Amino acid sequence: MAKKSSTATPGRAPAQAGPPAALADATADETSLKRFLHGLSPVDTVGVEQRAAGLATRSIKKASKLAAIDLAISMVDLTTLEGADTDGKVRNLCRKAVLPDPEIPDTPTAAAVCVYPDKAAVAVEEVAGSGVKVAAVATAFPAGRSSLEVKLADTTMAVEAGVDEVDMVIDRGAFLEGNYGQVYDEIRAVKQACGPARLKVILETGELATYDNVRRASWLALLAGGDFIKTSTGKISPAATLPVTHVMLQAVKDWQRITGEQRAVKPAGGIRTAKDAIRYLVAVKEVAGTEWLDPYWFRFGASSVLNDLIMQRRTQTSGHYWGPDYVTVD
């Protein structure tokens, strides 16, 4: 658990490679790390679920709804992570990210496209100059069941292709066995391999079983230098849920309060409608704060939600309903 230097992101506060001075003692050794993580306040299960349910009932007026839809579109990471991915499929995905609704060109661009490392160069070429970021999954996604050497090679392949972001998965088996130092060291090693790319740390919250584990995993990822904490790979169920996202938003809010550093959150999987997306935006504002209502600090890993956001945007601007036949599939 050795310390290493941080990598700066121009114009934004970078995530450090290791914990700031205020939390350095927490990672001095395995015992200290375990003591810190198990010393975190337990999550009030009933309280977090009730709060999430309550915030989900908030209504938004028409003008605010259009602004929320545009913000949500700008936060979407369009993703294709299938064995049958082709260069053509990736290029089509990139074109949709750059111009989500070709008939209404003032529609915001998506935040990023996310692909496997071997398709990253195709995506980088296709979105060049558009402002859309390219992310690549790495570290033996989605299971994470490989050696550290393979995981780092996976990360290096993505970085050399020119990606802006790397999405890694933690070793959930090691975490659930209480081998926190192993998980911490892997995250830090991948962070080092990312160079200038931002690191999203996927917790796969559906496999962590409890909110307390989600809180511990969130703090572990933050301590190790993750730029984002992300709920899920999207490959298992349950994926993102509002209560889990509340726990993670509270973690980054507490992190900022203690360290002065802001980190990002990405729920992924299971967010399918504009109504779902707006519920998450309400949670962001109420739990973390308005500072997180920005694509740099909050993302949706939910490709399927984009079409519904586009339909709802057309409805808001034209006054009549638009069905799915009027938007592109990819």
Side-chain angles (χ1 to χ4, degrees):
M1 297 173 64
K3 303 291 186 289
K4 65 175 181 292
S5 60
S6 63
T7 301
T9 300
R12 301 282 187 164
Q16 297 188 15
L23 293 168
D25 289 346
T27 60
D29 52 42
E30 179 78 42
T31 300
S32 299
L33 187 57
K34 186 168 293 188
R35 184 186 303 117
F36 175 84
L37 293 175
H38 283 272
L40 295 170
S41 299
V43 178
D44 177 355
T45 298
V46 173
V48 75
E49 291 180 350
Q50 286 183 341
R51 189 181 187 197
L55 290 177
T57 64
R58 294 275 183 91
S59 60
I60 297 180
K61 295 179 181 178
K62 183 173 181 178
S64 298
K65 187 173 183 180
L66 180 58
I69 288 170
D70 278 1
L71 180 58
I73 290 171
S74 76
M75 291 174 162
V76 171
D77 283 2
L78 273 179
T79 303
T80 184
L81 298 170
E82 304 298 335
D85 285 344
T86 63
D87 288 1
K89 184 177 181 181
V90 170
R91 291 188 188 280
N92 285 340
L93 190 79
C94 291
R95 291 172 190 135
K96 181 160 186 174
V98 173
L99 195 60
D101 190 349
E103 294 183 22
I104 306 179
D106 69 346
T107 304
T109 61
V113 292
C114 185
V115 297
Y116 276 113
D118 65 319
K119 295 299 180 186
V122 175
V124 168
E125 179 184 21
E126 192 64 33
V127 303
S130 69
V132 174
K133 305 298 184 185
V134 175
V137 297
T139 65
F141 178 95
R145 300 253 58 89
S146 192
S147 67
L148 179 58
E149 290 75 17
V150 169
K151 293 177 181 181
L152 293 177
D154 210 19
T155 303
T156 299
M157 183 194 307
V159 172
E160 290 179 348
V163 301
D164 304 287
E165 301 163 0
V166 171
D167 292 33
M168 74 167 289
V169 288
I170 66 166
D171 185 331
R172 282 87 73 193
F175 177 87
L176 292 170
E177 288 176 339
N179 295 327
Y180 302 135
Q182 176 184 334
V183 179
Y184 175 88
D185 287 343
E186 283 201 356
I187 296 171
R188 290 189 62 193
V190 173
K191 173 66 178 174
Q192 180 72 38
C194 282
R198 297 175 80 200
L199 176 63
K200 302 191 191 90
V201 182
I202 305 171
L203 310 181
E204 198 68 288
T205 54
E207 293 183 341
L208 299 186
T210 69
Y211 295 129
D212 286 337
N213 275 342
V214 172
R215 174 169 283 176
R216 291 182 192 121
S218 296
W219 273 89
L220 183 57
L222 295 170
L223 286 164
D227 298 283
F228 277 80
I229 49 175
K230 178 178 171 182
T231 60
S232 326
T233 61
K235 299 296 186 181
I236 71 159
S237 183
T241 68
L242 273 169
V244 159
T245 304
H246 274 238
V247 173
M248 294 168 67
L249 287 166
Q250 189 62 59
V252 296
K253 183 65 173 178
D254 290 342
W255 177 271
Q256 184 196 51
R257 176 177 53 81
I258 293 170
T259 69
E261 298 175 2
Q262 190 169 353
R263 303 284 179 90
V265 175
K266 178 180 173 180
I271 304 166
R272 296 186 175 86
T273 67
K275 183 178 290 187
D276 290 338
I278 290 172
R279 286 170 176 161
Y280 276 86
L281 293 182
V282 170
V284 172
K285 180 179 182 296
E286 296 298 325
V287 180
T290 55
E291 301 152 87
W292 274 266
L293 290 174
D294 184 296
Y296 195 86
W297 301 117
F298 190 80
R299 298 278 184 82
F300 293 108
S303 293
S304 60
V305 77
L306 184 57
N307 278 355
D308 195 59
L309 286 165
I310 291 169
M311 287 188 292
Q312 295 302 325
R313 188 178 194 274
R314 287 188 174 196
T315 299
Q316 291 292 312
T317 55
S318 69
H320 64 272
Y321 174 75
W322 292 79
D325 291 341
Y326 292 92
V327 296
T328 58
V329 175
D330 53 22

